[in-house]
Amino acid sequence: MWNPLSWVMEAAAVMAIVLANGGGEGPDWQDFVGIICLLIINSTINFIEENNAGNAAAALMARLAPKTKVLKDGQWQETDAAILVPGDIISIKLRDIIPADARLLEGDPLKIDQASALLDSDKSQLNN
């Protein structure tokens, strides 16, 4: 309930209680209860939307987390790139995103588009 709409509704609820209707009548309880109900409904909807957005963002981040094929204990395994350590041997193929600094041990010369890493359109040619 920390947004301008909620603040205006809270102020209206307070004014419905503090200010009398005139003519010696008491506070306007019906308006107060109605405004409080709208605040609760608004807060519930906002909570549900933020929770769904957080879950969607977490699922997207999990799908986009870079994975790599690494040689561990003599076996090729697909693992998160975040747990690579210096000395790990990785396998790369056409269109793979290289998950870390790497040294080419064998294979054909590579042409690497470093635009995403360097924020420009530099393309480098690497040889064995």
Side-chain angles (χ1 to χ4, degrees):
M1 297 207 306
W2 192 254
N3 59 52
L5 176 62
S6 294
W7 299 335
V8 170
M9 291 176 70
E10 290 164 2
V14 169
M15 288 173 49
I17 292 297
V18 172
L19 300 177
N21 286 328
E25 295 181 23
D28 193 353
W29 290 104
Q30 292 174 337
D31 285 348
F32 174 77
V33 171
I35 292 169
I36 294 300
C37 288
L38 288 175
L39 272 171
I40 291 170
I41 291 169
N42 186 31
S43 297
T44 303
I45 291 171
N46 282 341
F47 175 78
I48 292 169
E49 286 180 350
E50 286 185 21
N51 190 31
N52 289 342
N55 292 342
L60 183 60
M61 292 299 288
R63 281 189 51 204
L64 295 178
K67 298 205 176 278
T68 189
K69 203 171 187 182
V70 63
L71 185 63
K72 296 256 186 190
D73 301 324
Q75 299 273 356
W76 288 104
Q77 304 171 2
E78 187 163 318
T79 185
D80 290 332
I83 63 170
L84 287 176
V85 296
D88 278 348
I89 297 175
I90 60 172
S91 172
I92 56 174
K93 62 185 185 302
L94 185 64
R95 302 274 180 214
D96 272 357
I97 296 173
I98 299 174
D101 290 342
R103 191 172 357 152
L104 188 61
L105 298 178
E106 62 182 48
D108 296 329
L110 297 175
K111 185 176 264 187
I112 299 173
D113 181 3
Q114 298 178 358
S116 62
L118 300 176
L119 302 176
D120 63 15
S121 59
D122 179 34
K123 290 191 178 184
S124 301
Q125 178 81 23
L126 297 178
N127 294 316
N128 287 345

